[in-house]
Amino acid sequence: MSELKPSRIKLGMLTACLPSWDLDKIAGYAAGRGYQALEVAVWPGTGGRDFEAAHLPVATFTGEDEERTRALLDRHGLEISALAYYENHLHPDPEQRAAYGTHLKHAIDTAQRLGIPYVGTFIGRDWTKPVAENLAEAERIFPGYVEYAGERGVKLIIENCVMEGWHPDGYPGNLAYSPELWEWMFDLGLYLNWDPSHLTWIGIDPVETIAPYADRIVHAQAKDVELRPHDRQRYGHFGPARDRTKNAWDMGWWRYRVPGRGQVDWGTVLDRLYEHGFTGTLSVEHEDPVWGGTPEKVVQGLDIAHSTLRPLIVA
């Protein structure tokens, strides 16, 4: 009988849900609650969108910043599983696209200095062009980013979020949402930050995607989704058409939830991750409107997520 390998899955959280807290305060909460790792948000902090949290100054990261960050992690007994900078690297505005690329490289440089294995981002999409042209453009751009990261001992991980709000008509704004597209991006040297919530609402069984792509799922996000089929009878799968200007992110018939408050079968998800050798971090991504709005409510949502997932992770 073969010997079972010890579990190395860690439960973490993405810091972007607490943009008004500094990293030290987040780390104190996370360690006290029993989280083991942080997926640290590193947007520039320009305030362009409400989820642009800036928890490490990667664009100006100094030796003093490095020492302070290492000391913070040691003090709280935590590790950083990945840096998170999810932007549209195929943005139609060349200046905006270049700025995103520059900041991505800053994140990679900081990951190298801190010994962090992954930087998470998106492929994105130029919504003025068809998919084929976007894929060709990504094939031109991303090998350079992959090479830059690889030279520094870092892997780029792409979240399979649809990012429908980036497209004026609510169509996919991040061309990494399906296994078909994963296979394409893996050929570019990219890896997957696997999130079951997005797969669920677009009609893909997330559990069925684990085994075929286990060697490329190196990090995972724990986000749930609540489906409302009755509302889908009004809008169809693509959500509101006439009222999209009110809220580009409101698809009308589903919403994100913290783990344990939606449709995802977390027991089976964890079982399959273990079965197929996943040894990375499962990072809670909190975008639940019920448990949001204030830091106090967000923390309650993170508590729910921890209580749901922690019993499923082998001690």
Side-chain angles (χ1 to χ4, degrees):
M1 181 181 294
S2 61
E3 183 179 351
L4 290 176
K5 295 181 180 180
S7 163
R8 290 188 291 163
I9 294 180
K10 290 184 171 64
L11 182 59
M13 56 165 283
L14 174 58
T15 67
C17 59
L18 291 165
S20 65
W21 286 17
D22 63 25
L23 189 59
D24 203 344
K25 187 173 182 178
I26 293 173
Y29 159 74
R33 188 64 181 86
Y35 284 103
Q36 300 162 287
L38 299 176
E39 183 182 1
V40 177
V42 295
W43 276 267
T46 58
R49 293 196 299 272
D50 59 3
F51 61 81
E52 285 188 348
H55 289 134
L56 280 179
V58 296
T60 59
F61 203 70
T62 65
E64 184 178 345
D65 291 324
E66 181 180 344
E67 291 178 9
R68 185 185 306 112
T69 303
R70 290 184 182 277
L72 181 154
L73 295 171
D74 289 343
R75 184 164 64 251
H76 295 291
L78 295 168
E79 65 180 54
I80 297 178
S81 64
L83 298 183
Y85 178 57
Y86 291 94
E87 279 296 358
N88 185 356
H89 295 289
L90 299 179
H91 196 285
D93 183 334
E95 291 186 7
Q96 190 69 71
R97 185 193 295 188
Y100 293 154
T102 297
H103 197 75
L104 178 63
K105 289 182 177 180
H106 290 321
I108 293 168
D109 292 340
T110 300
Q112 178 191 25
R113 294 181 66 163
L114 291 171
I116 300 166
Y118 309 118
V119 171
T121 195
F122 288 139
I123 298 291
R125 178 179 183 170
D126 179 346
W127 57 85
T128 70
K129 296 179 179 179
V131 169
E133 291 184 27
N134 274 272
L135 298 183
E137 184 68 359
E139 290 165 8
R140 184 184 70 82
I141 292 172
F142 271 89
Y145 292 145
V146 169
E147 181 179 10
Y148 188 89
E151 289 171 348
R152 290 156 179 79
V154 176
K155 290 183 173 68
L156 292 181
I157 56 175
I158 306 296
E159 183 189 349
N160 56 286
C161 183
V162 182
M163 292 307 288
E164 66 287 345
W166 275 353
H167 193 289
D169 295 322
Y171 303 137
N174 173 40
L175 295 176
Y177 57 87
S178 67
E180 175 195 20
L181 290 165
W182 301 349
E183 293 165 2
W184 160 79
M185 74 180 194
F186 294 157
D187 287 340
L188 302 181
L190 297 161
Y191 291 79
L192 187 61
N193 193 6
W194 181 85
D195 185 327
S197 65
H198 310 298
L199 294 164
T200 300
W201 80 259
I202 64 174
I204 295 174
D205 181 349
V207 171
E208 293 298 316
T209 69
I210 295 173
Y213 305 105
D215 61 331
R216 287 281 168 162
I217 301 174
V218 295
H219 196 275
Q221 288 185 329
K223 186 163 75 265
D224 216 325
V225 63
E226 177 187 356
L227 306 182
R228 302 195 295 262
H230 176 76
D231 292 326
R232 188 169 55 199
Q233 299 304 311
R234 172 174 172 78
Y235 298 117
H237 188 80
F238 300 106
R242 297 172 60 198
D243 299 331
R244 283 196 60 76
T245 55
K246 294 180 181 178
N247 181 357
W249 298 100
D250 183 4
M251 294 296 281
W253 63 274
W254 61 266
R255 59 182 179 176
Y256 293 128
R257 302 302 309 273
V258 292
R261 295 294 190 268
Q263 326 297 138
V264 175
D265 180 352
W266 292 103
T268 303
V269 163
L270 264 297
D271 197 49
R272 291 295 184 274
L273 288 173
Y274 277 118
E275 180 182 3
H276 296 287
F278 179 74
T279 58
T281 295
L282 180 63
S283 178
V284 173
E285 183 183 19
H286 183 346
E287 295 181 349
D288 188 328
V290 177
W291 298 103
T294 67
E296 293 74 22
K297 291 291 291 292
V298 168
V299 165
Q300 288 177 313
L302 291 169
D303 289 347
I304 293 169
H306 185 277
S307 297
T308 299
L309 297 172
R310 180 64 257 182
L312 302 176
I313 295 177
V314 178

